[in-house]
Amino acid sequence: MIHLLFILLAFLLINSFPAPPMAQAKSLPIVRIGVVYDGPHSDLGLGKFIRQGTIQKEILSLTQGEFTVKFPKKFQIHGSWSAKKVDRALTALLKQPDVDMILTLGILGTNAALQRKGFSKPVIAPFVIDASLQGVPLTKGKNRIPNLTYLTSFKSFERDLQAFLEIVSFKHLALIEDAAIPEAIPQVLEKIQRAAKANDIVIHPIRVTDSIDPLWEQLPQETDAVFVVPLFRLSSKAFDSMVQGLIERGLPSFSLTGRSEVERGLFASLSPETDSIRAARRIALNVHRILLGELPEDLPVTISEGEDLTINMATARAINVWPSFRILTEATLLNEETTGIKRKLSLYGVVREAAHVNLDLAVADRQVAAGIGSVQNARSALLPQISIGSSANLIDQDRAQGSFGNNPEKAAFAQGSFQQLLYSDKAWTNYTVEQRNQDSRTADRRQVELDVTQEAALAYLQVLQTKTIESIQKENLKLTRSNLELARIREQVGAASRDEVFRWESEIASGRIDVLNAQASRQQAAVSLNRTLFRPLEELFETTEAGLEDPILFQDVERLFIYVNNPRNFQVFRDFQVREGLRAAPELHSLQARISAQKRILLNAQRGFWAPDLNLESDVSQRMAQAGSGQSTPTGGLAQDRTTWNLQLGLTFPLFSGGAKDGTQTQALETLRQLQLEQKATVGRIEERIRTSNLEAGASSATIRLSREASHAAQQNLELVRDQYSRGAVDIIKLLDSQNAALTANLNAANAVYEFLIDIINIHRATGSFPFFDSPQELNSWHQRLETYFQEQGINTNSEIVRSPFK
């Protein structure tokens, strides 16, 4: 009892004390971040990015659970697009004790921060537009100002201007800029004029705010090109109006901002599509690292942006400005397809069109049509031959008087004749042979149709394949250009020497050659396809991609793979394909018709030794009129008969022909043997073609998945090595090897798909049947025959489950 009381007392004492601090809810450190805005931003480009609060959202997401980050509204100050007001806002936040960190969201704020020598609290200034122009403090890749970190891609106005001049030549350039920029960065005008002098051009600065009306008033008449820098206050509607005005004036334009403005109608840009999420996450990461104790000045300040020359071809056509082939090889072309192209081709449409317009097939059609006449001509010899005619005779008077009325001096006659071949083995042979020859011509026409279908399908796939290869080569060239920018950044921060830049410039030249070759291959493939379709050889057309899910090529894909999912099934499937192919092969049908004809020729040669020709002939002639001497007169009160006729039954038999009968029989026999041997050889060739095309398709189908895996792995390795290269962890050789490996893997992955599609087309040609022309009933019948054949071989496929090799 005492023991129980002691335990109870101890329990009460323990629970009477408050819980230790560790057992209580842990409170997170509170961080207040002040924000300096240049001013109210528009809904376009960088302004839209800032207005949406993307950076703040990323900071809150990354620091969640470790810090309570707040953006007090009273510490979010707008500078009203005044450099002085922005600088005063920055000073106010620096003096504010309740602000732990400052974020400058704008070019004016960033520039104001870069002009100071140090800060009492961390300042993040992420919007450096031109590192050299703004005098970015950087020594060996590190920031020199305490408590400051920023982001720069080392872009420069000179590089963009040079790129613009490479695309189009001009002498008078209008530079459209926000009026706040020269106020905040006065040295911009000096640098612009130095660039103008270096390139022997004249630059006319034009300042705008939130309206484009001053633009048209200030635009010099001699302007032949326009350079557009970020216009932070211009609304999207006003921007689009500006773009349309430049197009109407035929002025090529260049965007410093990047691809987004080219998509809206500006002519070109060197900057890639802005990766706002990536930039926001980089800023958020810097905030997080500072909160964890790292010094702002120790954080990396470079961000790789690279170059991506983008050209809007719709704008190029509208202003009639055409970049050179050298430029087009490495540029990303928007709206490349000419608008208004009515021809849009698909694999199914191409083969159907080829069946109607191909000239080789038209020739075969004419041969079949001419063969119908040949059969009719051969048949005509077996039918009655009836003819009528008339004649007029004039003879000398003496002879007429001596003819006793049988041959008057002047006479007109009407004649008629009838012939019927009662029996002729040669005529029947000729008719039978022409019928078999017509069967052969029809089979030959079917062979041409299959060949044309194969040619058209392969030509279309070749167009798609060369377009894909061209795209891959362009992407590789773009990556090389981006790597060149990395090398330049590495050189500027002292992590690499000039030779790396020269090496990447050499790689760019090689990449351009590869792109040019790829473009030539694509254009040649298009010409070949147009020839097959009997179109103007350089007529433009759009294409529809053909892939592994194409319902025309792959009817009931999963169902088909059951029959080829293992070596035994695949062997039986090839045997079935051989049986089907031999039965459908027009080459064998043609040869069989010719063999039948030759057998009839041989039979006729054998009968020639004893079979006669039996013929019935009849003629009738009527004297219709007479005049002059020698006319017939009635004799004994009777008029002379003016009608004559005859009926003749003839039997002919060549008794001796100098050995021609033996020669004819020998020739017919040997020709028959020749055709029979040719038939056996053709059977072997067709079977070989069917089996090899199936084996090739089997190998290429497996290659698709493997090549995709290799491409994915090579791409991941490239991204890893490229990141290491940007941080100076690996040298240029390793990055070059990784990029070449990724290029090869990407090309192999693309080629694997098209090689498989080509193999499928070859299988259809080998088996003499294309699904383009088969009805659903014919396709179902084929599947039923396939299933029956497998059952005859003792294989039940209903219980088998197979996964597509492409997945």
Side-chain angles (χ1 to χ4, degrees):
M1 186 66 179
I2 297 176
H3 180 67
L4 291 176
L5 289 173
F6 178 77
I7 295 177
L8 178 59
L9 179 61
F11 176 78
L12 292 174
L13 288 173
I14 292 174
N15 286 276
S16 65
F17 290 101
M22 188 172 294
Q24 295 180 347
K26 182 179 179 182
S27 59
L28 300 179
I30 297 176
V31 180
R32 297 176 180 84
I33 299 180
V35 181
V36 177
Y37 295 98
D38 291 349
H41 285 83
S42 70
D43 58 349
L44 190 67
L46 180 61
K48 182 179 180 181
F49 169 65
I50 294 175
R51 286 180 60 177
Q52 289 177 340
T54 306
I55 295 175
Q56 290 92 324
K57 293 175 183 177
E58 289 294 328
I59 293 173
L60 292 174
S61 175
L62 185 60
T63 58
Q64 186 178 9
E66 297 181 75
F67 300 91
T68 300
V69 177
K70 296 182 179 181
F71 296 91
K73 189 174 183 179
K74 62 180 179 179
F75 298 143
Q76 297 186 37
I77 307 176
H78 286 269
S80 302
W81 295 106
S82 166
K84 294 180 179 179
K85 291 182 180 180
V86 168
D87 189 67
R88 286 199 295 268
L90 178 59
T91 300
L93 290 179
L94 286 170
K95 294 179 179 179
Q96 179 54 249
D98 292 334
V99 173
D100 303 304
M101 185 181 300
I102 300 174
L103 184 62
T104 62
L105 293 186
I107 293 177
L108 301 185
T110 296
N111 186 71
L114 294 176
Q115 307 310 313
R116 302 198 177 208
K117 304 300 183 182
F119 300 91
S120 58
K121 62 188 66 174
V123 175
I124 300 175
F127 295 106
V128 177
I129 58 172
D130 191 316
S132 59
L133 186 65
Q134 295 175 264
V136 169
L138 188 70
T139 303
K140 295 183 179 180
K142 291 186 178 183
N143 169 37
R144 300 194 309 266
I145 302 177
N147 259 338
L148 173 68
T149 185
Y150 52 85
L151 292 179
T152 178
S153 62
F154 288 100
K155 288 180 58 177
S156 67
F157 170 77
E158 291 93 334
R159 174 66 190 121
D160 286 80
L161 180 61
Q162 181 184 6
F164 196 14
L165 283 166
E166 289 176 359
I167 302 173
V168 60
S169 177
F170 53 83
K171 282 295 184 180
H172 292 270
L173 177 69
L175 188 139
I176 305 175
E177 60 183 347
D178 190 290
I181 292 182
E183 177 189 351
I185 315 173
Q187 62 268 33
V188 68
L189 293 177
E190 298 178 5
K191 186 165 187 177
I192 287 174
Q193 295 307 324
R194 285 198 303 270
K197 185 177 181 180
N199 291 279
D200 193 24
I201 62 174
V202 178
I203 297 181
H204 306 276
I206 299 178
R207 300 176 184 180
V208 298
T209 55
D210 56 356
S211 172
I212 62 168
D213 293 338
L215 167 62
W216 310 125
E217 299 172 0
Q218 301 177 46
L219 188 67
Q221 187 175 1
E222 64 272 17
T223 300
D224 49 8
V226 175
F227 194 103
V228 181
V229 300
L231 304 175
F232 310 108
R233 289 178 272 182
L234 204 62
S235 67
S236 58
K237 182 178 180 181
F239 185 89
D240 292 340
S241 177
M242 179 191 69
V243 170
Q244 186 59 36
L246 295 176
I247 292 176
E248 291 173 355
R249 290 166 173 77
L251 294 174
S253 53
F254 194 92
S255 168
L256 183 66
T257 300
R259 174 172 176 153
S260 60
E261 293 187 348
V262 179
E263 291 174 345
R264 301 188 75 98
L266 290 185
F267 175 54
S269 177
L270 189 63
S271 301
E273 184 174 7
T274 303
D275 190 352
S276 57
I277 298 298
R278 175 169 166 259
R281 288 176 179 171
R282 176 70 178 273
I283 296 170
L285 181 62
N286 284 351
V287 170
H288 187 243
R289 293 174 67 174
I290 292 171
L291 294 178
L292 292 177
E294 291 192 53
L295 295 176
E297 59 267 29
D298 290 339
L299 298 180
V301 297
T302 59
I303 182 170
S304 172
E305 188 174 281
E307 292 183 355
D308 181 14
L309 180 60
T310 306
I311 299 175
N312 191 323
M313 294 305 295
T315 302
R317 290 188 291 270
I319 63 178
N320 197 28
V321 173
W322 299 95
S324 66
F325 284 113
R326 184 181 68 84
I327 296 298
L328 294 177
T329 55
E330 62 174 296
T332 298
L333 305 180
L334 305 182
N335 306 309
E336 182 175 6
E337 300 291 346
T338 303
T339 56
I341 296 178
K342 297 182 178 180
R343 283 185 71 200
K344 187 168 184 177
L345 302 182
S346 65
L347 181 58
Y348 177 75
V350 163
V351 297
R352 299 291 292 187
E353 183 178 349
H356 289 90
V357 303
N358 184 267
L359 293 183
D360 293 332
L361 193 55
V363 170
D365 287 335
R366 301 288 75 77
Q367 290 175 338
V368 171
I372 295 175
S374 298
V375 174
Q376 292 175 338
N377 287 337
R379 182 173 177 267
S380 66
L382 302 174
L383 299 177
Q385 310 292 311
I386 300 174
S387 62
I388 60 174
S390 64
S391 63
N393 288 350
L394 177 65
I395 63 176
D396 61 276
Q397 187 177 9
D398 297 338
R399 189 150 55 94
Q401 292 174 349
S403 66
F404 304 102
N406 292 324
N407 214 358
E409 182 179 357
K410 300 175 182 178
F413 297 90
Q415 301 99 8
S417 65
F418 170 83
Q419 296 179 349
Q420 174 62 57
L421 189 62
L422 299 180
Y423 177 79
S424 173
D425 190 70
K426 182 176 181 179
W428 278 103
T429 297
N430 186 41
Y431 177 48
T432 303
V433 167
E434 280 303 324
Q435 287 181 311
R436 301 291 79 78
N437 285 343
Q438 183 65 3
D439 292 339
S440 178
R441 283 188 284 267
T442 301
D444 290 342
R445 191 265 178 202
R446 172 61 176 165
Q447 180 178 348
V448 173
E449 181 183 35
L450 291 174
D451 290 339
V452 167
T453 301
Q454 180 188 32
E455 180 184 9
L458 294 181
Y460 184 75
L461 291 177
Q462 185 70 16
V463 170
L464 296 183
Q465 184 176 21
T466 52
K467 284 183 68 175
T468 302
I469 291 175
E470 179 185 0
S471 176
I472 292 174
Q473 292 291 1
K474 282 187 175 181
E475 286 298 319
N476 183 66
L477 180 57
K478 187 187 303 182
L479 178 62
T480 304
R481 171 67 69 181
S482 179
N483 288 339
L484 172 60
E485 292 309 304
L486 279 180
R488 286 173 175 165
I489 292 176
R490 282 164 53 90
E491 180 192 12
Q492 289 178 355
V493 300
S497 57
R498 187 66 177 168
D499 64 313
E500 285 195 12
V501 175
F502 292 146
R503 178 62 185 271
W504 285 117
E505 289 176 346
S506 173
E507 289 295 317
I508 286 176
S510 299
R512 284 177 173 172
I513 294 174
D514 292 336
V515 170
L516 284 173
N517 291 335
Q519 287 178 337
S521 297
R522 189 252 305 161
Q523 292 167 348
Q524 292 167 11
V527 168
S528 178
L529 179 58
N530 277 332
R531 180 198 61 78
T532 302
L533 300 179
F534 191 47
R535 291 277 193 166
L537 295 186
E538 295 197 27
E539 185 179 68
L540 300 177
F541 55 83
E542 296 179 358
T543 57
T544 302
E545 188 64 33
L548 301 176
E549 293 77 25
D550 195 319
I552 300 298
L553 282 177
F554 303 101
Q555 297 283 348
D556 203 353
V557 177
E558 301 295 339
R559 182 180 174 188
L560 179 62
F561 285 136
I562 295 176
Y563 301 99
V564 295
N565 66 326
N566 60 59
R568 178 200 60 176
N569 286 10
F570 194 24
Q571 175 66 56
V572 175
F573 180 79
R574 294 198 299 273
D575 294 340
F576 169 77
Q577 288 279 70
V578 168
R579 190 183 73 171
E580 290 285 306
L582 293 178
R583 185 178 66 178
E587 298 92 338
L588 294 180
H589 290 174
S590 177
L591 280 170
Q592 186 58 48
R594 292 167 60 191
I595 288 173
S596 297
Q598 193 60 36
K599 286 182 178 179
R600 189 64 180 83
I601 293 173
L602 176 60
L603 180 61
N604 173 252
Q606 293 170 341
R607 290 177 176 176
F609 286 97
W610 54 268
D613 290 343
L614 183 61
N615 189 47
L616 177 64
E617 297 183 2
S618 177
D619 295 304
V620 61
S621 177
Q622 174 69 40
R623 184 187 300 170
M624 304 301 295
Q626 59 181 355
S629 301
Q631 298 183 49
S632 61
T633 58
T635 303
L638 299 175
Q640 186 176 1
D641 187 9
R642 295 184 177 187
T643 303
T644 60
W645 62 272
N646 69 76
L647 181 66
Q648 178 181 351
L649 180 65
L651 180 70
T652 59
F653 176 75
L655 188 62
F656 179 72
S657 56
K661 294 182 180 180
D662 289 325
T664 300
Q665 180 177 353
T666 300
Q667 181 184 10
L669 178 61
E670 293 306 319
T671 301
L672 176 61
R673 290 172 177 172
Q674 172 192 340
L675 291 174
Q676 290 172 334
L677 289 173
E678 186 177 347
Q679 183 185 42
K680 291 181 180 179
T682 302
V683 168
R685 285 193 294 269
I686 292 175
E687 180 175 357
E688 177 191 19
R689 188 169 61 191
I690 293 173
R691 293 188 182 277
T692 55
S693 60
N694 272 275
L695 291 170
E696 288 172 354
S700 60
S701 65
T703 303
I704 292 175
R705 179 173 54 83
L706 296 175
S707 61
R708 284 177 173 175
E709 291 176 356
S711 176
H712 180 68
Q715 194 63 37
Q716 287 185 315
N717 176 69
L718 174 59
E719 293 175 1
L720 178 63
V721 173
R722 194 165 182 270
D723 178 68
Q724 293 174 336
Y725 177 75
S726 66
R727 293 185 286 106
V730 298
D731 58 15
I732 186 175
I733 301 300
K734 188 168 184 178
L735 180 55
L736 280 171
D737 289 343
S738 298
Q739 182 175 342
N740 290 333
L743 173 63
T744 301
N746 290 337
L747 290 174
N748 289 340
N751 286 326
V753 173
Y754 290 108
E755 290 301 327
F756 176 69
L757 295 177
I758 289 171
D759 291 338
I760 293 297
I761 294 297
N762 291 334
I763 287 177
H764 288 307
R765 174 59 188 93
T767 55
S769 176
F770 281 94
F772 309 110
F773 308 106
D774 292 341
S775 65
Q777 293 77 12
E778 290 172 323
L779 293 171
N780 287 332
S781 176
W782 183 87
H783 276 287
Q784 290 172 2
R785 294 196 303 272
L786 175 61
E787 180 62 29
T788 301
Y789 186 82
F790 267 70
Q791 291 176 357
E792 292 172 354
Q793 307 303 314
I795 301 176
N796 182 14
T797 59
N798 293 329
S799 60
E800 298 192 27
I801 300 177
V802 64
R803 182 174 67 91
S804 169
F806 307 137
K807 300 178 180 179

